[in-house]
Amino acid sequence: MADTKREIERKYEGPPVGGDAPLPDLTSVPGVSGVIDKGVAELDATYYDTADQRLATASLTLRRRTGGDDAGWHLKLPVSEGVRDEIRAPLSDTVPEDLTALVRSRIREAELVPVVRLLSARDIRHLVDASGTLLAEVSVDRVRAERLSGGAGSAEWTEIEVELADDGDPAFLDKVEKKLRKAGIKRSASASKLAKALDDTAPRKPGKAGKAGTTGKVADVSKGTTKAAKPEPVDSTPRTAGDHILTYVRAQRDAIVELDPAVRRDVPDSVHRMRVATRRLRSTFRSYGKILDRTVTDPIGVELKWLAAELGVDRDQEVLTEHLTTALDDLPPDLVTGPVQARLSTWSGARRSGSRQHLIAVLDGKRYLDLLTTLDTLVAGPPLREAASKKPEKVIAKAVRKDFEKVADLVGEALELPPGSERDLAMHDARKKAKRTRYAAEAATPALADPAADLVKSMKSLQTLLGDHQDSVMVRGALRELATEAHAAGENAFTYGVLYGRAEQRAAAVEAELPGEWEAIEDKGAV
């Protein structure tokens, strides 16, 4: 079974292989009382990737390593600069399915093959404080890299690695770095050993100058791109309406792919964030039909709606449980009769467990993987219409205003209806349209600046208010279900009725607040 370790480390360039011992005296680092020599570990690691290096391009590394005290399979997922989550699985002859699943959004149906083998002699030292507590591990790695696919090159180098102890203060790494810099030791130019190995062992193209074993191009795995060794400056600032919208579309496509491992690992808020990315994409296709051809994007929108619904099964249950738990906690003890908390826990657990298994099956399914491939194809060759080549100020602003007008119509319609199920539905429709307008304004903000940013804030405020109302509708539905189950089991259903009444009051408060909120938004207007 895979487990996770947060890894915070920094890498530095060591002296040439065979050179003098590279480390200065680290006992003078503030907070360090001792440096313990832990000996040399012989490590043998084989790195796996697709033939076209999709994992390396995304700054992901997957390896099988023997030697040391953590032999096994390691998948490293970037979190931020110098911070990665290392997912570990026991040693086996083939890539564990748990780890393959975590990279499926990247590799799709491609095969994982050995690409590089690294043999390292790791000279390890522990930096400890006065109580003997570990502060950081410092290692000097003498590395030999052997290319296993895409060439047959090899390379050798020495690298210094400083890894913070579990739950350590990241500021301690600054203190160690200050000492290393004084000794003339500088940060590594490569984001990882794998990145350096791929660069240094890549076959040289005929007629290309450069150091032995390189191609004249380097894989910049820290940014997920491949770039020329000496690139010409490129102005990537969006210029046309199409440029602006495609920038937003790419960002949402990237978010879906990047969040996939987090959703599979059940990282808090990951399902919600992926669902938002799918909604942003679908909304953008619909709002900017004058820029992106809807005969192409509408079928993709159908698939995005499907994915959002599948993600919503888990997310909606999570939100419902949070609301019900909070409402129950807010009740005075004398209004709680019967095993309400136990029934709520059982009810929520049964539904979340089932939806969780279903969601993983969805992410492993062909329909989802086909959608990711379709999005890649769209981004690579976008179906631009004539308006895409025009200046953004006119085309994008017109699309946003059109969405705003639709919100105005729906809010007005809801305000004219009496309280009840029809008004509930109308307010829900207005909420969905406000969300779409918010996303359209988000995409427009780089082009339209403050007016679009102000509209984002207005729509977010309206969306929140209408969302509170919809939450009340959903909570009341869940309470009816819970009360029915409790009654059938012979339990007292009084508390569910109390909670229902409170939810009704919250809905009424929102309905009373809506006219004033909307009047203030209308006064500001659209872009």
Side-chain angles (χ1 to χ4, degrees), residues 248 287-288 395-408 411 430-431 433-446 448-464 517-527:
Y248 191 75
S287 294
Y288 294 104
V395 178
I396 292 178
K398 184 177 180 180
V400 175
R401 284 195 295 270
K402 185 176 180 181
D403 278 347
F404 182 81
E405 289 167 3
K406 291 178 181 177
V407 175
V411 171
R431 173 180 175 249
K433 191 63 67 177
K435 192 180 297 184
R436 173 175 158 181
T437 305
R438 172 189 167 188
Y439 297 153
E442 283 179 354
T445 297
L448 306 182
D450 288 347
D454 290 342
L455 183 58
V456 170
K457 293 178 183 177
S458 294
M459 290 298 99
K460 186 175 182 179
S461 176
L462 178 63
Q463 178 188 331
T464 299
E517 175 77 12
W518 178 245
E519 183 178 353
I521 291 173
E522 275 196 311
D523 286 343
K524 293 179 182 177
V527 294

Side-chain angles (χ1 to χ4, degrees), residues 155-410:
E156 294 185 12
W157 71 89
T158 301
E159 180 177 284
I160 298 168
E161 191 174 285
V162 183
E163 181 175 348
L164 190 68
D166 293 345
D167 301 319
D169 182 359
F172 178 70
L173 295 181
D174 294 332
K175 299 175 182 178
V176 177
E177 179 162 314
K178 184 177 181 180
K179 182 67 176 178
L180 295 177
R181 283 186 178 277
K182 285 183 177 180
I185 297 171
K186 61 182 180 179
R187 288 275 195 106
S188 174
S190 300
S192 67
K193 287 184 178 67
L194 176 61
K196 182 171 177 61
L198 290 172
D199 183 21
D200 289 358
T201 65
R204 187 196 307 176
K205 290 184 178 180
K208 292 288 185 179
K211 63 183 180 181
T214 66
T215 64
K217 287 192 176 183
V218 295
D220 185 355
V221 297
S222 66
K223 295 182 179 179
T225 61
T226 300
K227 62 180 184 180
K230 293 182 179 180
E232 295 295 328
V234 176
D235 183 3
S236 60
T237 304
R239 299 179 182 277
T240 66
D243 291 334
H244 281 280
I245 301 309
L246 285 176
T247 296
Y248 191 75
V249 166
R250 288 190 192 98
Q252 307 319 313
R253 185 279 311 267
D254 292 348
I256 293 171
V257 173
E258 290 166 6
L259 283 164
D260 180 289
V263 171
R264 292 174 185 272
R265 294 163 56 205
D266 204 15
V267 173
D269 204 39
S270 59
V271 171
H272 172 61
R273 290 165 60 203
M274 181 186 276
R275 192 184 188 192
V276 168
T278 65
R279 285 174 164 173
R280 281 176 167 148
L281 257 183
R282 182 166 174 258
S283 293
T284 301
F285 292 158
R286 298 180 71 182
S287 294
Y288 294 104
K290 295 292 185 181
I291 294 173
L292 294 171
D293 187 350
R294 287 194 58 175
T295 62
V296 176
T297 60
D298 277 358
I300 303 174
V302 171
E303 295 303 287
L304 289 167
K305 183 179 181 180
W306 160 78
L307 178 57
E310 296 290 4
L311 292 164
V313 173
D314 209 38
R315 173 62 180 171
D316 290 345
Q317 184 61 43
E318 182 182 329
V319 170
L320 257 182
T321 301
E322 289 174 0
H323 283 303
L324 289 167
T325 301
T326 299
L328 183 59
D329 290 343
D330 288 343
L331 279 185
D334 59 341
L335 295 181
V336 180
T337 60
V340 181
Q341 183 62 64
R343 177 159 297 282
L344 174 57
S345 297
T346 301
W347 174 84
S348 175
R351 283 154 182 78
R352 177 156 170 75
S353 175
S355 62
R356 178 82 195 147
Q357 293 171 7
H358 176 73
L359 179 56
I360 296 303
V362 166
L363 298 183
D364 286 336
K366 184 177 185 300
R367 185 174 182 179
Y368 168 69
L369 297 178
D370 285 348
L371 171 58
L372 297 185
T373 300
T374 299
L375 291 174
D376 289 344
T377 302
L378 179 135
V379 167
L384 297 175
R385 299 185 66 190
E386 184 179 350
S389 62
K390 296 180 179 179
K391 291 184 178 181
E393 291 79 5
K394 183 177 181 180
V395 178
I396 292 178
K398 184 177 180 180
V400 175
R401 284 195 295 270
K402 185 176 180 181
D403 278 347
F404 182 81
E405 289 167 3
K406 291 178 181 177
V407 175
D409 290 342
L410 288 170

Side-chain angles (χ1 to χ4, degrees), residues 31-36 125-136 172:
V32 175
S33 293
V35 178
I36 303 174
R125 294 166 178 79
H126 282 181
L127 307 186
V128 298
D129 63 14
S131 67
T133 299
L134 179 66
L135 299 172
F172 178 70

